[in-house]
Amino acid sequence: MSTPPASSSETSPSPASTTWWRDAVIYQVYPRSFADGDGDGIGDLPGITARLDHLAGLGVDAVWLSPFYTSPMADAGYDVADYRDVDPLFGTLADADRLIERAHALGLRVIVDLVPNHTSDQHAWFRAALTAGPGSPERERYIFRDGRGPDGAEPPNNWKSVFGGPAWTRVTEPDGTLGQWYLHLFDSGQPDLDWNHPEVRAEFLDVLRFWLDRGVDGFRVDVANGLVKAEGLPDWDEELALLSGATEDGPTPPMWDRDEVHEIYREWRTVLDSYEPAGSRMMVAEAWVEPPSRLAMYVRPDEMHQAFNFTYLGAAWEAPALRDAVDRSMSANEAVGAPTTWVLSNHDVVRHASRLGTGKPGSFVGIGLGPDDPQPDAELGLRRARAATALMLALPGSAYLYQGEELGLPEHTTLPDEAREDPTFHRHNGQVVGRDGCRVPIPWVADAPAYGFSPTGESWLPQPPEFGELAVDRQEGVEGSTLELYRRAIRLRRELGLGQGELRWDPTLGSDDVLAMRRSTPLGEVLVLTNLAPDPVAVPDGVRVVLSTEDGPHPERELARTGTIATDVTIWALLD
Ligand code: GLC
Ligand code: MG
């Protein structure tokens, strides 16, 4: 094991800005698909470190790394067997230290993923629980129960796994008989921890310190709404769509969003706040919770700093729906003084360049898009994706990007079944394609094997041919390319201070199919307009367009020439 940096504040990018996260643009790296350093076809930490320049060039503030810890990979690393080590597939702890150091040297903060709801079934605690048998203290860290029915042959309750099939698996006891059942809201390789157990609580406080001591700037907290289950584990008859939470008026599921989870985050917050410079370490909740007012409870002043705002991700590509998602998110967060977050893509949903090219641009959480589904219109999807991103980057708060979206990557909708690894696919017997299509390794170099993802040309999931034209080297320096659009938007966002300040809808320019907002930032006044109407709309008088998502070279000049904003285009304009 290598020595962690002596003083983490020394390596922090800009110690002065302790609330950097309030308006940060944060880039999600999915380690197995970002860049493969050793040529085994699986992305790894040295691969990421070697490509961090790409993120610095994009202008983002931070990188969030999906799990890279020791794992048997039953759920691509979201099944952690050792929270304090790196899986050999991804490298070593020394590689993690080097990554953090290089990121900090480039001015990038580093957020790591924390998976507290469940461990892997290969975690030392779970193995000990199996060996120790029923009634042992080892079993109390998890949720073991006797089955129902005469022989205990029925699961303890009727809960279903988010990934399909039952949420309980029966174990064989040390004496060889069929015995108790354990709860797993996800795959059977992901047993749920019992968060009423003091050792579970203590363990995670220590894991937080372990990574903070190595210099990380924050944590993305996996399934933050799931840790506490209702007393007595009552039956729940509803389906569990991937991570669906409480609805505005429906009943409250016994496994999601229990009030008691908040105590846990208050305790974590005190740990984060004890690191220097005070207030600079952050947590972001992954919590699929509705309505936004319930989600806002996770970001009260003494809890987490941010929560992913999936209301916006799930909104249809229609002006009223988008306006409503923005308004509801903003007002819920303002009530607790927390910044709102915005996200369009991640490793669990169909990429927005494809989602928005379908008739139903909802969120497609967890279910994916397969060869038998109606195929998205790639051109329309990308056009809308660019407009959606420019709208997102103009909103106050913090924005999350998912690797490859800056290239306009589509979902891989025609992966062969043999290639699929997502447990969602297997636990649904192939009836749901799952999430592999958004996890395909990203293209760096059009003419290289595996499009430059891996030096040997290996790739754990096959890449579709469309990836060639979208490779980084094909877009770099090409005016109007999606990559250059992202760079420009991120730079302007910072220069114009768009991450902060007020938002007002413009009632004159806006309509049922035009979104028009005025942003007053500490640095000026900006008009942001997205045209969702079937026909072009006129560029308002007295403005100077500084960004347009129209493709082709010099889109801003083109716009000045025609005087109109085409369908599915977003512009940013300064008021003269
Ligand atoms: C989160 C992750 C997802 C994972 C699940 C179980 O939703 O984003 O990828 O499968 O938690 O850990
Ligand atoms: Mg590798």
Side-chain angles (χ1 to χ4, degrees), residues 36-44 89:
D36 177 19
D38 65 2
D40 65 352
I42 300 178
D44 43 46
L89 270 183

Side-chain angles (χ1 to χ4, degrees), residues 254-564:
M255 67 294 281
W256 301 135
D257 194 29
R258 313 298 304 172
D259 288 338
E260 297 80 4
V261 292
H262 297 286
E263 284 163 31
I264 298 170
Y265 304 129
R266 289 199 190 100
E267 201 175 6
W268 290 10
R269 179 67 179 253
T270 61
V271 174
L272 265 69
D273 283 351
S274 70
Y275 280 76
E276 296 290 330
S280 64
R281 313 303 167 98
M282 59 80 83
M283 291 183 280
V284 52
E286 185 223 20
W288 297 80
V289 170
E290 280 278 341
S293 56
R294 282 296 298 184
L295 184 62
M297 293 174 73
Y298 289 78
V299 290
R300 288 176 289 190
D302 57 349
E303 296 193 37
M304 301 223 196
H305 303 71
Q306 296 182 341
F308 289 120
N309 173 14
F310 296 122
T311 303
Y312 179 71
L313 184 150
W317 185 242
E318 291 159 9
L322 289 164
R323 207 160 19 220
D324 181 59
V326 170
D327 283 344
R328 290 198 303 140
S329 313
M330 298 272 301
S331 58
N333 277 42
E334 271 160 18
V336 294
T340 315
T341 66
W342 311 101
V343 58
L344 285 164
S345 282
N346 65 33
H347 66 293
D348 292 327
V349 305
V350 169
R351 283 183 174 279
H352 68 287
S354 294
R355 214 168 66 216
L356 295 170
T358 66
K360 278 194 297 171
S363 63
F364 290 98
V365 181
I367 59 175
L369 200 58
D372 301 332
D373 295 310
Q375 295 300 291
D377 177 332
E379 203 178 314
L380 178 71
L382 181 56
R383 189 175 172 80
R384 290 183 170 172
R386 291 162 56 111
T389 299
L391 175 62
M392 172 173 85
L393 290 173
L395 291 167
S398 173
Y400 281 80
L401 308 178
Y402 176 52
Q403 66 179 35
E405 70 167 82
E406 77 279 24
L407 306 175
L409 291 191
E411 185 85 357
H412 192 338
T413 56
T414 56
L415 277 170
D417 285 355
E418 317 79 76
R420 295 191 186 276
E421 293 202 7
D422 184 358
T424 312
F425 174 76
H426 299 286
R427 292 182 63 89
H428 281 101
N429 300 316
Q431 299 305 301
V432 171
V433 293
R435 302 164 293 175
D436 292 302
C438 64
R439 300 175 173 180
V440 175
I442 67 173
W444 295 94
V445 182
D447 294 326
Y451 303 122
F453 163 67
S454 155
T456 56
E458 292 289 318
S459 173
W460 72 279
L461 283 174
Q463 299 157 299
E466 311 84 275
F467 272 29
E469 279 306 305
L470 296 169
V472 174
D473 75 329
R474 284 289 158 91
Q475 299 198 41
E476 201 136 46
V478 176
E479 174 81 25
S481 71
T482 303
L483 176 58
E484 293 302 337
L485 173 68
Y486 268 72
R487 285 181 174 165
R488 187 180 170 92
I490 293 168
R491 178 170 55 74
L492 279 171
R493 173 188 157 89
R494 178 170 295 135
E495 284 171 12
L496 300 171
L498 287 171
Q500 298 166 35
E502 302 296 313
L503 179 165
R504 250 174 27 255
W505 298 111
D506 184 321
T508 321
L509 296 174
S511 68
D512 265 359
D513 40 26
V514 175
L515 283 172
M517 61 177 174
R518 300 203 173 249
R519 296 294 331 282
S520 314
T521 81
L523 303 174
E525 181 91 2
V526 181
L527 170 71
V528 177
L529 195 146
T530 304
N531 182 14
L532 297 101
D535 299 311
V537 295
V539 178
D541 289 337
V543 305
R544 187 161 58 85
V545 176
V546 290
L547 184 93
S548 159
T549 63
E550 185 66 83
D551 51 13
H554 307 299
E556 293 81 17
R557 263 186 246 163
E558 182 58 16
L559 205 104
R561 194 182 61 77
T562 61
T564 60

Side-chain angles (χ1 to χ4, degrees), residues 129-130 133-134 139 144 171-181:
L130 288 185
R139 287 220 170 161
F144 279 88
V171 303
T172 304
E173 300 299 356
D175 66 5
T177 59
L178 275 176
Q180 289 194 300
W181 299 71

